Amino acid sequence: MTRTTVHGTLTAEIARAVEDLPGVAFLRPGLGGRLRAALVRPEPGADPASPAGVRLARPGGTGPWLVEIHLVARRAARTVDVARAARRTVEEQLSTALPGQSARARVTVTVTGLV
């Protein structure tokens, strides 16, 4: 598995885990994701684009992992509880997938809307 595939797989796993949380309506795509979805059709067998609402980066390849989650929460749930649960879930996913590297991860969860 190449580094790109590992990165894409980890991003997809994080997205799935956050989407499954109670109180999360959906992950919010950014403008780039919306344009990419409208303009580009991936070739069969190609790495999928990053899931909407999840940005995973590691500047320089050796620094701490930077994870940004943008989600829309359900009105019935306390927003702060949804954000905290999303952060814990991402941290757990990272510690499982990247033992020893996840302690330095910086996870940011932004609730961009309510439905």
Side-chain angles (χ1 to χ4, degrees):
M1 210 181 270
T2 66
R3 181 175 178 214
T4 303
T5 305
V6 171
H7 182 271
T9 301
L10 180 57
T11 304
E13 289 172 359
I14 289 171
R16 233 181 343 268
V18 171
E19 285 175 325
D20 290 343
L21 290 172
V24 174
F26 55 90
L27 294 176
R28 183 159 189 233
L31 178 60
R34 290 179 184 172
L35 291 173
R36 188 172 33 255
L39 299 175
V40 178
R41 302 282 180 218
E43 294 182 26
D47 259 353
S50 292
V54 177
R55 185 170 170 215
L56 179 65
R58 190 170 191 202
T62 58
W65 284 95
L66 306 176
V67 184
E68 294 178 16
I69 306 293
H70 294 266
L71 60 87
V72 174
R74 298 191 182 279
R75 286 190 192 276
R78 278 188 60 204
T79 305
V80 69
D81 293 337
V82 173
R84 287 177 180 158
R87 182 184 172 105
R88 270 192 313 273
T89 298
V90 170
E91 289 170 345
E92 290 169 4
Q93 287 287 322
L94 289 173
S95 67
T96 300
L98 307 166
Q101 298 179 31
S102 62
R104 298 181 351 171
R106 291 191 310 194
V107 179
T108 304
V109 177
T110 304
V111 178
T112 61
L114 299 171
V115 291

